[in-house]
Amino acid sequence: MKNKFLYLIISKGLKIGAGLMITVAFLLIYNTFEKKEMVDANMIVIMDVIEAPLSCRNLSTRGGYCKLLFKGETYGKKAGNKFCHLVSGNNQVRMLSNKDQDYFIFEGEYDPMQFVFASLLIFIGVIILIKDNKTS
């Protein structure tokens, strides 16, 4: 069993990796498109801050999470270094919402360059698949 798995990784590793890369890139494009729609709709909601970092100084790359309350539902959101100042020490925060009001982003969280990065990942994944097929 171990030898079959090792053979699969060695013989099909590039194809599997490129396929995963392309899949992740399409998910990133979908997520970025959803954020773009939220920005275009400009549906602003006010959420209550339940829990937030006390200080935005010295946040680790994994830190900066906050808990937000909207219509009786609690949502966890990573504020990170970029958006920590919006929730730290505040009782409420303005967020953008989708039409179902079940997905929220900070104002300014949408970055159109993510479309470019995801497209580059797809391009690189396709190049890897083409090169791997030529060598097989």
Side-chain angles (χ1 to χ4, degrees):
M1 181 69 178
K2 184 178 178 182
N3 290 337
K4 288 182 182 181
F5 179 72
L6 189 61
Y7 174 76
L8 178 70
I9 294 297
I10 291 171
S11 64
K12 305 289 184 195
L14 277 177
K15 287 182 183 176
I16 293 170
L20 286 173
M21 184 185 301
I22 292 169
T23 303
V24 167
F26 276 115
L27 291 173
L28 181 62
I29 286 174
Y30 175 78
N31 189 27
T32 305
F33 183 74
E34 190 171 16
K35 287 180 182 180
K36 181 187 181 317
E37 285 183 335
M38 291 167 66
V39 169
D40 291 344
N42 199 30
M43 184 180 292
I44 296 174
V45 296
I46 305 296
M47 300 183 79
D48 295 323
V49 178
I50 299 172
E51 187 178 307
L54 297 176
S55 171
C56 295
R57 295 181 187 177
N58 303 327
L59 279 182
S60 68
T61 55
R62 301 179 132 216
Y65 282 88
C66 60
K67 286 186 183 177
L68 306 170
L69 181 70
F70 183 72
K71 292 187 177 179
E73 295 282 329
T74 303
Y75 298 91
K77 182 76 176 156
K78 183 176 180 178
N81 290 322
K82 190 171 182 180
F83 301 106
C84 178
H85 68 281
L86 297 175
V87 292
S88 181
N90 293 324
N91 294 328
Q92 294 183 326
V93 63
R94 290 169 44 110
M95 304 281 286
L96 292 171
S97 172
N98 62 354
K99 64 179 178 169
D100 296 330
Q101 294 186 336
D102 61 355
Y103 180 59
F104 306 94
I105 63 171
F106 291 105
E107 292 179 302
E109 188 173 337
Y110 164 67
D111 181 9
M113 285 303 292
Q114 289 179 346
F115 284 122
V116 175
F117 298 139
S119 299
L120 284 173
L121 277 178
I122 292 171
F123 179 72
I124 292 169
V126 169
I127 295 297
I128 290 171
L129 287 175
I130 290 170
K131 291 283 189 181
D132 188 52
N133 281 338
K134 285 184 179 179
T135 59
S136 297

